[in-house]
Amino acid sequence: MTTTHTPPLTGLRVLDMATLFAGPLAATLLGDFGAEVIKIEHPKRPDPSRGHGPAKDGVGLWWKHLGRNKRTITLDLSKPGGQATLRRLAAGADVVIENFRPGTLEKWDLGWPELSAVNPRLVLTRVTAFGQFGPYARRPGFGTLAEAMSGFAAITGEPDAPPTLPPFGLADSIAGLATAYAVMTALAARGSTGEGQVVDMAIIEPILTVLGPHPLWYDQLGHVQPRTGNRSQNNAPRNTYRTADGSWVAVSTSAQSVAERVMRLVGRPDLIDEPWFATGVDRARHADVLDEAVGGWIAERTRDEVLAAFEKAEAAVAPIQDVRGVMADPQYAALDTITTVDDPDLGPLRMQNILFRLSATPGSIRWAGRPHGADTDEVLTELGLTPAELAALRAEGAL
């Protein structure tokens, strides 16, 4: 198939004024497919992701991922000069992404009335923990609170253990994906109406969406899902199992045909004829019997033997691997899921590639996260600011 090599979001200009992590991730996803993303950071307080997690030679590695495909400038929006410059930038932008507490932009005269006045086609994307209104709106919040409030933590962990929070930014990441979708939806609407609008993204909401029909179950049946560890209430066998060589694998049998193949593979076809085996929910009620059969068979074989046997039987299995396994996995390698990016600060970097593949207009990682304020003069000069104006902004402390 012929490819044009022109990313589909070429020509889209995005101002990323957000920090940690949902808003910036949404901007990253847009930049991966060609949008021009300008990262705006405080002159003295850069995005905290630059200092999160491990660093090499004083360079934060998280930022190298989150800041990819972005030009970086500094601007103090609490200064009059910074506010005036932001309005000039917004006049030529398509999207602004911010995550200040509700009312902060308004305090700086940078709210929707002011920004839409200079650019009626602008999409102002506001990403906060709790949304722009309601009793919690002004509370500080992070993705951890969304993982707690949404019901995720309540159903995660072993039945007799405390609720479990994920060891990474799950709610923020889900909200970042949802925000990129929201931005594209608003831009599609602009194509019809010619006008921009405000996107109100509350981090507590997208994670609730991906949890599925829990509210519906409760509304109609009063059902509250308990913690079940690695088991499921909807099908069995579904668990993690240890192999003879000390590795772990995960087995899932969401489809009835797969469940039957697994039981034939492990030498227990007799269980298929049990009346309770006919549905996933009934199988889940007999998880002890099924786990004993599957777990016992797996425990007698090495990981490679288990994976090969399941593949031959067309049954669903995957190795439980840490990042070392991910980096060496042949399927990820075939997809180029972990790709190499040349970086002037650290040399070749291996990181996650773009989120999906397009056959005709693919995205790409053009560069990894750049130093704080590296593009300030270039971007503002392109905006039309003179050297004298840049000097005045620096004297004010706005840059």
Side-chain angles (χ1 to χ4, degrees), residues 135-384:
Y136 303 166
R138 289 186 171 271
R139 292 182 182 179
F142 300 98
T144 297
L145 306 191
E147 291 146 11
M149 284 181 59
S150 64
F152 172 84
I155 64 171
T156 304
E158 295 297 328
D160 56 352
T164 300
L165 295 168
F168 66 101
L170 177 63
D172 276 306
S173 299
I174 296 171
L177 294 166
T179 300
Y181 166 64
V183 167
M184 297 309 299
T185 302
L187 290 172
R190 187 182 74 174
S192 300
T193 67
E195 298 180 351
Q197 59 183 297
V198 177
V199 172
D200 179 7
M201 177 62 67
I203 296 173
I204 60 172
E205 292 182 306
I207 188 172
L208 185 57
T209 296
V210 303
L211 285 173
H214 288 199
L216 184 59
W217 286 342
Y218 179 73
D219 175 64
Q220 295 297 304
L221 302 172
H223 175 72
V224 179
Q225 181 170 325
R227 288 190 293 283
T228 58
N230 292 319
R231 288 180 171 178
S232 169
Q233 288 190 312
N234 303 312
N235 66 83
R238 192 265 198 182
N239 213 326
T240 61
Y241 306 94
R242 194 167 190 176
T243 64
D245 54 355
S247 297
W248 290 86
V249 297
V251 172
S252 178
T253 58
S254 296
Q256 180 71 19
S257 59
V258 174
E260 293 175 6
R261 290 175 202 154
V262 169
M263 301 322 298
R264 292 191 184 99
L265 172 64
V266 302
R268 292 299 308 273
D270 56 296
L271 294 176
I272 299 173
D273 297 327
E274 293 287 347
W276 50 261
F277 198 87
T279 69
V281 172
D282 284 338
R283 293 200 312 273
R285 296 191 180 106
H286 294 80
D288 286 343
V289 174
L290 297 172
D291 276 346
E292 181 180 2
V294 175
W297 185 90
I298 289 175
E300 295 174 352
R301 291 159 176 83
T302 67
R303 189 191 82 155
D304 289 347
E305 289 171 338
V306 170
L307 297 179
F310 266 74
E311 182 174 2
K312 184 177 180 180
E314 297 185 356
V317 70
I320 293 177
Q321 53 195 20
D322 60 20
V323 67
R324 294 168 294 187
V326 170
M327 300 293 268
D329 188 281
Q331 182 61 33
Y332 282 133
L335 297 174
D336 195 29
T337 305
I338 305 297
T339 197
T340 301
V341 180
D342 289 326
D343 181 70
D345 297 323
L346 299 176
L349 303 175
R350 297 178 70 197
M351 66 173 68
Q352 297 99 316
N353 207 340
I354 57 176
L355 192 59
F356 50 87
R357 288 161 292 281
L358 295 179
S359 63
T361 56
S364 66
I365 303 172
R366 301 179 295 284
W367 60 82
R370 290 172 54 71
H372 181 228
D375 304 292
T376 300
D377 285 8
E378 180 181 35
V379 169
L380 297 185
T381 299
E382 292 172 359
L383 189 64

Side-chain angles (χ1 to χ4, degrees), residues 101-137:
R101 288 198 212 179
T104 301
L105 285 188
E106 287 74 11
K107 179 180 65 176
W108 294 332
D109 294 326
L110 295 173
W112 177 241
E114 292 81 9
L115 295 182
S116 62
V118 300
N119 184 356
R121 291 174 55 80
L122 185 70
V123 172
L124 175 60
T125 307
R126 317 194 74 168
V127 185
T128 56
F130 305 109
Q132 294 296 307
F133 56 91
Y136 303 166

Side-chain angles (χ1 to χ4, degrees), residues 30-181:
L30 299 174
D32 284 349
F33 286 90
E36 178 195 2
V37 181
I38 299 173
K39 176 71 177 182
I40 300 173
E41 300 174 86
H42 191 280
K44 296 180 180 178
R45 297 189 298 276
D47 189 321
S49 66
R50 291 181 180 272
H52 258 59
K56 180 181 179 182
D57 299 335
V59 179
L61 297 177
W62 203 323
W63 168 252
K64 285 295 180 184
H65 175 252
L66 192 63
R68 71 191 193 190
N69 292 335
K70 301 179 183 182
R71 293 202 286 172
T72 64
I73 73 171
T74 59
L75 207 58
D76 186 343
L77 300 180
S78 70
K79 306 287 186 183
Q83 296 159 12
T85 303
L86 190 280
R87 283 190 285 269
R88 290 180 66 172
L89 284 165
D94 297 283
V95 180
V96 170
I97 301 176
E98 63 93 9
N99 71 334
F100 298 105
R101 288 198 212 179
T104 301
L105 285 188
E106 287 74 11
K107 179 180 65 176
W108 294 332
D109 294 326
L110 295 173
W112 177 241
E114 292 81 9
L115 295 182
S116 62
V118 300
N119 184 356
R121 291 174 55 80
L122 185 70
V123 172
L124 175 60
T125 307
R126 317 194 74 168
V127 185
T128 56
F130 305 109
Q132 294 296 307
F133 56 91
Y136 303 166
R138 289 186 171 271
R139 292 182 182 179
F142 300 98
T144 297
L145 306 191
E147 291 146 11
M149 284 181 59
S150 64
F152 172 84
I155 64 171
T156 304
E158 295 297 328
D160 56 352
T164 300
L165 295 168
F168 66 101
L170 177 63
D172 276 306
S173 299
I174 296 171
L177 294 166
T179 300
Y181 166 64

